[in-house]
Amino acid sequence: MFMPERNLGITDYAVSRAIMELHQQYELINAQMIAERINGERTAVYRSIRTLREADLLEIKYGSSRAGGFRYEYKGE
């Protein structure tokens, strides 16, 4: 799914995959869960989430919970 025309990189791809995989197990997820899944840093996850949102490939469905999670919906191919 590396899409240079959308200025997406390997980390963005890894984050999008992690979001899809984590949502098969959990309703709400947070950046720490994604970072652990990709073996990366939360700051990189936040950057990728911003990049994916700007590319219109990800949207946040609803806000945070008490546990500190969000519902992300990956809209990519």
Side-chain angles (χ1 to χ4, degrees):
M1 163 161 101
F2 179 70
M3 293 188 268
E5 70 274 2
R6 293 203 180 181
N7 203 25
L8 300 180
I10 292 179
T11 302
D12 303 322
Y13 172 74
V15 167
S16 65
R17 293 279 304 179
I19 289 170
M20 288 186 291
E21 292 169 2
L22 286 167
H23 274 304
Q24 291 176 359
Q25 298 173 347
Y26 306 101
E27 180 70 19
L28 298 175
I29 60 174
N30 59 33
Q32 182 63 38
M33 294 168 74
I34 299 167
E36 289 172 2
R37 184 67 158 223
I38 67 169
N39 197 25
E41 298 291 326
R42 277 192 324 217
T43 55
V45 170
Y46 288 126
R47 280 193 300 270
S48 288
I49 287 171
R50 185 182 66 233
T51 300
L52 291 166
R53 287 184 70 198
E54 289 171 356
D56 200 32
L57 294 173
L58 181 77
E59 73 179 62
I60 297 176
K61 297 300 273 185
Y62 48 85
S64 65
S65 70
R66 287 183 179 175
F70 291 91
R71 172 75 183 170
Y72 298 108
E73 182 175 312
Y74 181 71
K75 302 187 305 184
E77 301 157 4

